């Protein structure tokens, strides 16, 4: 698990510094096992800018940074280990609203958002194809 998360964190660092290939970053996200906090038997998510963001973390250290501020006090934070591809291909479409993936949001200068757009989520739920808008109007 550490290897995949480390590779994704490295790709995020490359992209944030102005380098790297965006397609390679998305590919790495899809192959990576991410740790997603679970609360009340639901994956942790936040709404911001009209999008529901599922929060995933590249390793236990990144998750621990998040848990310090959002965890259940002195109790361990439950989490699910999910492939990035499963999150964006299965879970995001099942939410029925614009949704994306936010990775390592508690890591200063290390977070990355994967928005609900073509090439990241299925076209049927991507907000930039028009299909997602039609679906939302129904």
């Amino acid at each position: 698990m550490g290897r995949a998360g480390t590779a994704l964190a490295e790709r995020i660092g490359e992209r944030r510094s102005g380098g790297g290939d965006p397609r390679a970053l998305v590919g790495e996200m899809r192959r990576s096992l991410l740790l997603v906090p679970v609360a009340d038997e639901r994956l942790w998510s936040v709404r911001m800018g009209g999008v529901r963001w599922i929060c995933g973390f590249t390793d236990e250290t990144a998750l621990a940074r998040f848990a310090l501020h959002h965890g259940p006090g002195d109790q361990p934070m439950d989490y699910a280990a999910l492939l990035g591809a499963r999150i964006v291909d299965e879970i995001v479409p099942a939410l029925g609203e614009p949704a994306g993936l936010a990775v390592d949001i508690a890591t200063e200068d290390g977070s990355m958002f994967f928005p609900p757009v073509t090439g990241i989520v299925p076209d049927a739920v991507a907000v930039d194809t028009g299909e997602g808008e039609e679906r939302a109007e129904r």
Side-chain angles (χ1 to χ4, degrees), residues 42-55 91-92 94-102 113-116:
R42 294 181 159 179
L43 298 179
W44 190 286
S45 65
V46 296
R47 284 188 178 84
M48 182 177 67
V51 175
R52 184 172 177 181
W53 298 97
I54 297 171
C55 301
I91 296 169
V92 163
L95 293 174
E97 64 183 296
L101 173 62
F113 288 77
F114 295 89

Side-chain angles (χ1 to χ4, degrees), residues 30 83-94 119-122 125:
R30 295 181 61 78
L83 281 175
R86 181 161 185 224
I87 296 169
V88 297
D89 291 345
E90 297 175 25
I91 296 169
V92 163
I120 296 177
V121 300
V125 296

Side-chain angles (χ1 to χ4, degrees), residues 22-30 84-85 88-89 113-129:
R23 290 174 296 208
L25 173 62
V26 171
E28 195 63 52
M29 174 273 293
R30 295 181 61 78
V88 297
D89 291 345
F113 288 77
F114 295 89
V117 296
T118 303
I120 296 177
V121 300
D123 288 349
V125 296
V127 297
D128 61 339
T129 64

Side-chain angles (χ1 to χ4, degrees), residues 11-45:
R11 293 258 187 216
I12 288 171
E14 290 170 0
R15 193 70 196 129
R16 287 183 61 98
S17 67
D21 178 359
R23 290 174 296 208
L25 173 62
V26 171
E28 195 63 52
M29 174 273 293
R30 295 181 61 78
R31 289 185 297 276
S32 293
L33 195 59
L34 296 169
L35 308 180
V36 181
V38 176
D40 299 323
E41 299 183 23
R42 294 181 159 179
L43 298 179
W44 190 286
S45 65

